[in-house]
Amino acid sequence: CVTAARQRPPPDDQPRLDLWVDGSAEGPGLGTRASPFRALEGALEQGRSGPATVHLATGLYAGPFELPPGVRLEGGKAVVLHAEGAAVLHAAGAASLDGLMVQGAGVGLVAGGDVQLTRVKFSGQREMAIRLEAGRLSARDCELAASLSRTRGLVAGAGTRASLVGCTFVGPFARGLEAAEAEVEVRGGRFEGPVVGLHQVGGTARVESTVFSGGRGPAMFSAAGGLVLRGVAVLGHEYGLQTSRGARVDVADFESIRAERAALALEDTTGRLSGVVAVESGPLGAVQALGSDLTVERLRIHGPLASGILVRKGRLVLADATLTDVRGELGRQGDDTGGDGVVVREAELRAEGLTVVGASGLGLVATAGARVRLAAGLFEGCRQGGIAVDEGAEVEATSVLVRRTAAAGAVVSGGAVLRADLLTVLQAAGGTVWADCGHGARVLLSRTVVEPRGAGAPCISPWTR
């Protein structure tokens, strides 16, 4: 055990010792370059008297090791620290590691102070590579590798801070980076294989210029905290980003390719997203906004399954969004179901510059009391129609073009209301507007040439704005 007195950091002006260790040395050694220690413990013990830099020769060093405050371990090629017990390394105070490999044990490093890691590789841990209990961890060009799916990479505890630059998480970690009420930052990172790349609850997380791939769960999960993403790409994964329980997001330049369920699943979340690209997302569509208050700008969605955007409860402000090739799911009768561009249920949508091209269903569906304001919309090649309004929903549309559909340009039923100014419908097999007047539908049109179909004529009237 190390006494409390020995744990105090050394004075800044205290001279630094240079100590050498070589596991292949013939004798115990004196710690000099000419007569290195054979055991690392000798250098660490001497380092307790003041800050020390320990130079490790190539070799295998068996621990566990307690690092005194202010120690710096420098390795060359193939310097391996390993242990079989609870942890390989304990650093209760300031410490620095450079050019080492840490293997085995339950935990690779237990850190409780200001710890700096450079070119350090962790592998073979049974529980986690690094546990940050207190203080700050700074890591650069490090690699955390897992061979067991139940292990975790870096676990940052409450009140801690972690900064990772150019670091890689490889293998089937249950969670690559786990942060609970902590402050974490990742720049230039790579998560290849973790089931969940980032799992954040509370605190703040910032991820920049980072790629996630090969995982089965959400690439990133955030709840009850602040999450900032800049230049992040996700290949595969169940979700590109999943949020819940009061998460706050600030996202720019985010890309999700072939998410198994959805590119973005945002529940009980507030924030802003811009420059989002989602390609070929799974059966839950590209973007889900559930009970959230979000602003999304410059959104590009291609090839989603079931729906492009689903808004249920809450509010979504959408600007400059383009959805292409929205695919339906194969139903029991062999026909396509779903495939709608935007679906709004019990929610508010304000959209400007919305384009849906090539949907197997409808371009826009407003239902269950939804409130939609749409300006500058284009729905082209949407097989089942451009706009559908039902179940008491209300849509106000301005400058909307519907073109090339096998159904009507707009369908209104179930006590719903459509107000449209400058609605243009071309090449619509079902006509311009179809309204079910017998069930309370109302359509108000301004500056629009109408060719009513079905039950629509009696409840279609001019709209004086």
Side-chain angles (χ1 to χ4, degrees), residues 329-337:
E329 295 184 279
L330 191 63
R332 293 182 178 180
Q333 306 301 320
D335 56 341
D336 280 348
T337 60

Coordinates of all heavy atoms in Angstrom, one line a residue, residues 329-337:
E329 N -42.2 -1.9 -47.4 CA -41.9 -3.2 -47.0 C -42.9 -4.2 -47.7 O -44.0 -3.9 -48.0 CB -42.1 -3.4 -45.5 CG -41.1 -2.5 -44.7 CD -41.3 -2.8 -43.2 OE1 -42.2 -2.2 -42.6 OE2 -40.5 -3.6 -42.6
L330 N -42.4 -5.4 -47.9 CA -43.2 -6.4 -48.6 C -44.3 -7.0 -47.6 O -43.9 -7.5 -46.5 CB -42.4 -7.6 -49.1 CG -43.0 -8.6 -50.0 CD1 -43.5 -7.8 -51.3 CD2 -42.1 -9.7 -50.4
G331 N -45.6 -6.8 -47.9 CA -46.6 -7.2 -47.0 C -46.9 -8.7 -47.1 O -46.3 -9.4 -48.0
R332 N -47.9 -9.2 -46.3 CA -48.2 -10.6 -46.4 C -48.8 -11.0 -47.7 O -48.7 -12.2 -48.1 CB -49.2 -10.9 -45.2 CG -48.6 -10.8 -43.8 CD -49.6 -11.2 -42.8 NE -49.0 -11.1 -41.4 CZ -49.7 -11.3 -40.3 NH1 -50.9 -11.7 -40.4 NH2 -49.1 -11.2 -39.2
Q333 N -49.5 -10.1 -48.4 CA -50.1 -10.4 -49.6 C -49.1 -10.2 -50.8 O -49.5 -10.2 -52.0 CB -51.4 -9.5 -49.8 CG -52.3 -9.6 -48.7 CD -52.8 -11.0 -48.5 OE1 -53.1 -11.8 -49.4 NE2 -53.0 -11.4 -47.2
G334 N -47.9 -9.9 -50.5 CA -46.9 -9.7 -51.5 C -46.9 -8.3 -52.1 O -46.1 -8.0 -53.1
D335 N -47.6 -7.3 -51.5 CA -47.6 -6.0 -51.9 C -46.8 -5.1 -51.0 O -46.5 -5.5 -49.9 CB -49.1 -5.4 -52.0 CG -49.8 -5.6 -50.7 OD1 -49.3 -6.4 -49.9 OD2 -50.8 -4.9 -50.5
D336 N -46.4 -3.9 -51.5 CA -45.7 -3.0 -50.7 C -46.6 -2.3 -49.7 O -47.7 -1.9 -50.0 CB -45.0 -1.9 -51.6 CG -43.8 -2.5 -52.3 OD1 -43.3 -3.5 -51.9 OD2 -43.3 -1.8 -53.2
T337 N -46.1 -2.1 -48.5 CA -46.8 -1.3 -47.5 C -45.8 -0.3 -47.0 O -44.6 -0.5 -46.9 CB -47.2 -2.2 -46.3 OG1 -46.1 -2.8 -45.7 CG2 -48.2 -3.3 -46.8

